[in-house]
Amino acid sequence: MQPGPQYPYQQPYPQQQYPGYPPPKSGGKTVLVIVLVVAGFLVLAGVGVGAFFLLTSGDKRTTAAPTTTSPAGEPDKYTTLPRCSEVGSRMKNLPPLTRDDAPEPAGGSDDQLEMTQLSCSWMKPGSSSGTVTMYLSESKQKGSGAGTRYAAAGYENAVEDGAKPITAGIGKATKAADVDFDSGRTLQCGVRFYQGNVDVIVIVSAADETDRDIARCRRNAHNLAESASSSLG
């Protein structure tokens, strides 16, 4: 408990004679009454001040708008993936499609994303072959931009590992890069690109070990990547 306010000690009026007036009476009771009145006023004032702050604080708590964190990011551009037959139909002279499976859920989904995967391959003995793998990443929280960030990260990781950005672009891809693969005896080349919230990997393999034409391999990889980009719409 805090000590109360201190007041100076009141000396009684000196017993002096005033011409025409009786001597003043002792002011003890009067001073006591004044002290009590002043003390009571201060107490009430203190309660009033405290009540004011309590009411003000309570009022602010009830009227203040709640703070919220709104998601911010590029919205998901795609919600579905094409079939492999649709990808292949956009490129001439492809080998036969091995199978035409529908897109399926992909491993790696987390609390921010729903992942869907499409895997396609075109092969024929004595001919170059190609594969396309697509990963659709959809944001669980709409507008968060998680899907596009995930797709972009795949491309950025490939560039960090040595992939060379394609300045001329690939179809409607947001960004694309040429990728070299250490495939041993058979020449392989590829393209890594992302388009909105879809991450795409394209790989082309030479017909046999004697085929070392890297320029042709690159052309085939670019053509297949453009077909994949176009199939996304």
Side-chain angles (χ1 to χ4, degrees):
M1 178 178 292
Q2 297 296 327
Q6 302 296 316
Y7 297 94
Y9 176 74
Q10 300 291 331
Q11 294 288 344
Y13 290 103
Q15 300 296 317
Q16 299 178 359
Q17 298 296 326
Y18 293 87
Y21 295 94
K25 297 180 180 180
S26 172
K29 292 182 179 180
T30 303
V31 172
L32 178 60
V33 171
I34 294 173
V35 169
L36 292 176
V37 170
V38 172
F41 175 80
L42 291 175
V43 170
L44 292 174
V47 172
V49 172
F52 172 78
F53 283 120
L54 289 174
L55 290 174
T56 302
S57 300
D59 183 64
K60 287 183 178 179
R61 285 194 296 269
T62 57
T63 60
T67 57
T68 57
T69 302
S70 300
E74 184 178 343
D76 295 343
K77 188 174 182 179
Y78 301 102
T79 57
T80 59
L81 291 175
R83 298 289 290 253
C84 294
S85 55
E86 185 176 352
V87 177
S89 67
R90 298 170 184 271
M91 181 175 174
K92 296 180 179 180
N93 301 321
L94 265 177
L97 179 64
T98 57
R99 60 185 187 181
D100 191 16
D101 293 339
E104 59 184 5
S109 297
D110 57 22
D111 58 347
Q112 296 186 32
L113 300 169
E114 288 287 352
M115 302 291 298
T116 306
Q117 176 180 347
L118 177 72
S119 298
C120 311
S121 60
W122 296 264
M123 296 182 181
K124 179 181 178 180
S127 173
S128 60
S129 59
T131 64
V132 172
T133 305
M134 296 185 179
Y135 295 96
L136 170 68
S137 50
E138 295 183 81
S139 307
K140 288 184 178 179
Q141 185 177 9
K142 301 304 180 184
S144 67
T148 299
R149 286 196 299 270
Y150 185 89
Y155 165 84
E156 292 166 358
N157 289 338
V159 171
E160 289 180 3
D161 291 339
K164 299 175 178 60
I166 303 171
T167 57
I170 290 289
K172 299 179 181 179
T174 307
K175 290 185 179 181
D178 285 318
V179 182
D180 292 321
F181 297 98
D182 184 10
S183 56
R185 296 180 179 180
T186 303
L187 175 67
Q188 284 188 328
C189 61
V191 173
R192 183 71 177 261
F193 74 87
Y194 79 97
Q195 189 164 316
N197 56 317
V198 179
D199 179 25
V200 183
I201 304 170
V202 174
I203 302 175
V204 169
S205 301
D208 52 45
E209 298 176 9
T210 62
D211 184 357
R212 312 304 298 178
D213 192 337
I214 185 65
R216 180 169 59 203
C217 184
R218 289 265 185 245
R219 287 196 301 272
N220 288 336
H222 283 202
N223 289 338
L224 186 54
E226 287 177 356
S227 299
S229 171
S230 178
S231 68
L232 289 171

